[in-house]
Amino acid sequence: MTKVHFIAVGGSVMHQLAIALKNKGYQVTGSDDEIFEPSHGNLKQAGILPATMGWDESRITPDIDAVILGMHARADNPELIRARQLNLKIYSFPEYIYQESLQKKRVAIGGSHGKTTTTAMIMHVLQQAGTAFDYLVGAKLAGFTQSVNITDAPLIVCEADEYPASVLEKRPKFHFLHPHIAVLTGIAWDHINVFPTYDNYLEQFAIFLRTIEAGQTLIYNDTDHELVKLVKAEGGHLKLIPYNVPEHQIVNGTTTVTFGGLKATLEVFGDHNLLNMHAARLVCNELGIDDATFLKAIATFTGAAKRLEVVGKNDHCAIYRDFAHAPSKVKATMEALKEQYPQRKLIAVLELHTYSSLNAAFMVQYQGAMDKADVPVVFYSSHALEIKRMPNLEPELVAQGFGRSDLQIFNKRDHLLAFLDAQNYGNTNLLLMSSGDYEGLDVNSLKKYL
């Protein structure tokens, strides 16, 4: 029996892989210094929650076939040191996914934005079409109990992240997947703490293209000029399939898309989602799924968690939340709402929560990002800055970066709530954008505005 040990098993995706391998019949153990919900409950239910918290080198034995190292593990971790002494095979998460998928057709969806939604769309259609497949995706999706699944299926669909693989392996995760079908959704500088310059960030995508075997397929967004330039420079050895915003209509807040005379009315909207869908359709076509099957399935796709997710709505007001934090995502999300509801006022609240978004030097990247908001609001907590050991961020710098003199800026949740309570929500949409939680704000409590 294959024996696998996870160092830092409590991560949101790590614990899902641990459960998937247990379900596959592997002997799985793990360790971590702290494990929070939902990882804690999920691991307990699967019977692989560590009996005690903390690191213990006695867990590392010579009969272990693979040690999988989480992002949270440090180089001086005693279990890692022991594994190296024993010359055990040590993998980062993506390296291990590749090992498990050597005999599978690999689909990888990369890009600075839209990865999760595009992956989710492909998964939804494959599931509806009755196709057997494995997957790796960065969000909880309706119809899927896990965010990682590894079985004996002949196909794997992976969200391909450009973030470093582990403490030992600093290269981006997507460099390890070597896909047969790749998607690039676009390039916009992110992760400033890891990639200090735009050129350095861009180079990671160039390497991704270079490491794809000649003759394999690249599906890419040809409305993104930077990406088109990169594909021309680095993608000559690949079968290239460009995509753009497909033909569509918006009537009374509902979007209908058309491919080759076939139509589908959608649950999702916005040019960014139409681009994601076009990429998903092309991937599905490559996997043998025709447009009629694709459109029937995509009509029932309701979106990935926290991606333009409806918190609540009535006839004159809707409240949405979205994971958007990078400038390109913030812009795309607001443009989608404005296009879908051109007559409605838009109150947009962005929480600065990531290393990049809280960095004073990065603030200029947000220039114009909130131009579509009628009432633009930025929130960031001093607690988030403390946790990330970052210097204080002056509100003047934030306002200057966004280029809006009317930008409302808040540092305390109570002050933000008082401001939102004072707004008029007649013929208005409220949009909350964050990868954080606004200092523990219960988003569902905002339904009182409806």
Side-chain angles (χ1 to χ4, degrees):
M1 181 190 283
T2 304
K3 194 172 179 185
V4 181
H5 179 74
F6 285 77
I7 300 177
V9 72
S12 58
V13 184
M14 281 288 278
H15 89 279
Q16 294 277 340
L17 176 59
I19 293 166
L21 295 182
K22 171 87 189 285
N23 291 343
K24 195 179 178 183
Y26 290 6
Q27 189 180 332
V28 177
T29 56
S31 59
D32 215 322
D33 53 358
E34 53 183 355
I35 301 177
F36 302 106
E37 293 298 350
S39 304
H40 190 281
N42 293 341
L43 288 167
K44 190 174 182 180
Q45 194 179 354
I48 46 180
L49 183 71
T52 55
M53 290 299 135
W55 316 112
D56 180 358
E57 64 178 43
S58 69
R59 291 182 175 126
I60 308 301
T61 52
D63 60 340
I64 290 173
D65 297 296
V67 172
I68 305 175
L69 190 61
M71 281 293 295
H72 161 61
R74 299 224 303 253
D76 62 356
N77 185 292
E79 294 185 16
L80 172 58
I81 291 167
R82 182 71 181 136
R84 294 178 93 168
Q85 285 168 348
L86 290 173
N87 286 322
L88 297 178
K89 285 181 180 168
I90 301 167
Y91 300 96
S92 64
F93 183 96
E95 286 175 297
Y96 190 77
I97 291 290
Y98 178 68
Q99 291 302 314
E100 282 283 343
S101 63
L102 284 169
Q103 306 307 317
K104 303 177 192 290
K105 177 170 273 194
R106 292 179 298 280
V107 178
I109 294 88
S112 305
H113 40 72
K115 291 186 290 287
T116 303
T117 300
T118 306
T119 308
M121 286 173 167
I122 294 164
M123 286 169 58
H124 179 79
V125 173
L126 291 174
Q127 189 185 58
Q128 296 292 308
T131 303
F133 67 101
D134 289 346
Y135 56 85
L136 153 60
V137 63
K140 181 86 180 70
L141 305 181
F144 293 90
T145 52
Q146 292 155 239
S147 59
V148 181
N149 204 28
I150 302 290
T151 67
D152 294 322
L155 168 68
I156 186 165
V157 179
C158 300
E159 179 176 342
D161 188 3
E162 68 270 25
Y163 212 70
S166 77
V167 68
L168 292 187
E169 185 46 86
K170 303 291 190 191
R171 285 177 294 167
K173 294 174 187 171
F174 69 168
H175 289 180
F176 298 96
L177 295 172
H178 307 290
H180 303 98
I181 301 170
V183 173
L184 280 181
T185 60
I187 299 174
W189 188 26
D190 200 359
H191 311 305
I192 187 176
N193 54 315
V194 181
F195 308 111
T197 67
Y198 175 70
D199 286 345
N200 180 237
Y201 184 69
L202 190 64
E203 178 62 14
Q204 308 315 312
F205 289 91
I207 295 166
F208 175 64
L209 293 182
R210 287 177 212 142
T211 55
I212 301 173
E213 209 176 292
Q216 305 298 2
T217 301
L218 174 67
I219 295 165
Y220 68 98
N221 173 4
D222 79 348
T223 70
D224 184 312
H225 304 302
E226 286 290 329
L227 177 56
V228 169
K229 230 165 44 179
L230 183 72
V231 170
K232 279 182 178 162
E234 302 288 353
H237 60 301
L238 304 173
K239 173 186 166 187
L240 299 175
I241 305 177
Y243 68 91
N244 49 29
V245 178
E247 186 187 332
H248 66 283
Q249 274 184 308
I250 303 168
V251 180
N252 298 330
T254 302
T255 300
T256 301
V257 70
T258 305
F259 288 120
L262 300 169
K263 291 182 189 294
T265 300
L266 307 175
E267 299 272 350
V268 295
F269 60 86
D271 280 0
H272 65 305
N273 272 327
L274 289 163
L275 282 164
N276 295 337
M277 183 196 311
H278 200 168
R281 168 194 168 239
L282 291 167
V283 169
C284 290
N285 287 168
E286 290 291 306
L287 296 173
I289 290 171
D290 62 28
D291 284 348
T293 306
F294 177 83
L295 286 169
K296 186 183 176 190
I298 207 69
T300 60
F301 177 76
T302 54
K306 294 184 185 170
R307 269 72 177 181
L308 263 180
E309 183 183 348
V310 179
V311 175
K313 64 179 179 181
N314 59 26
D315 291 343
H316 60 84
C317 176
I319 302 170
Y320 290 90
R321 67 168 162 186
D322 194 274
F323 195 69
H325 50 84
S328 59
K329 297 175 188 176
V330 169
K331 200 170 180 215
T333 301
M334 280 192 285
E335 282 174 353
L337 273 172
K338 269 302 196 186
E339 194 179 332
Q340 202 73 0
Y341 300 98
Q343 307 308 322
R344 284 191 191 176
K345 180 174 78 178
L346 176 59
I347 302 172
V349 186
L350 169 65
E351 179 179 17
L352 303 179
H353 185 73
T354 63
Y355 280 99
S356 299
S357 67
L358 288 166
N359 191 304
F362 190 75
M363 216 44 62
V364 67
Q365 301 292 326
Y366 283 101
Q367 192 75 28
M370 290 189 84
D371 282 1
K372 292 284 182 187
D374 299 292
V375 181
V377 182
V378 163
F379 173 83
Y380 58 97
S381 95
S382 41
H383 182 56
L385 288 161
E386 280 164 27
I387 289 172
K388 292 178 168 65
R389 296 177 186 168
M390 295 178 74
N392 192 31
L393 185 58
E394 294 301 330
E396 297 76 32
L397 256 178
V398 176
Q400 206 179 323
F402 280 84
R404 292 275 307 243
S405 57
D406 60 343
L407 187 67
Q408 302 287 331
I409 301 170
F410 300 100
N411 293 120
K412 291 190 164 51
R413 184 185 65 179
D414 293 351
H415 294 175
L416 171 66
L417 273 174
F419 176 81
L420 292 177
D421 285 348
Q423 302 306 302
N424 178 344
Y425 292 93
N427 198 30
T428 297
N429 285 335
L430 171 61
L431 169 63
L432 299 145
M433 296 171 285
S434 177
S435 58
D437 68 353
Y438 299 91
E439 282 188 339
L441 170 68
D442 175 13
V443 172
N444 285 312
S445 71
L446 304 181
K447 288 181 187 174
K448 64 187 178 185
Y449 302 145
L450 302 171

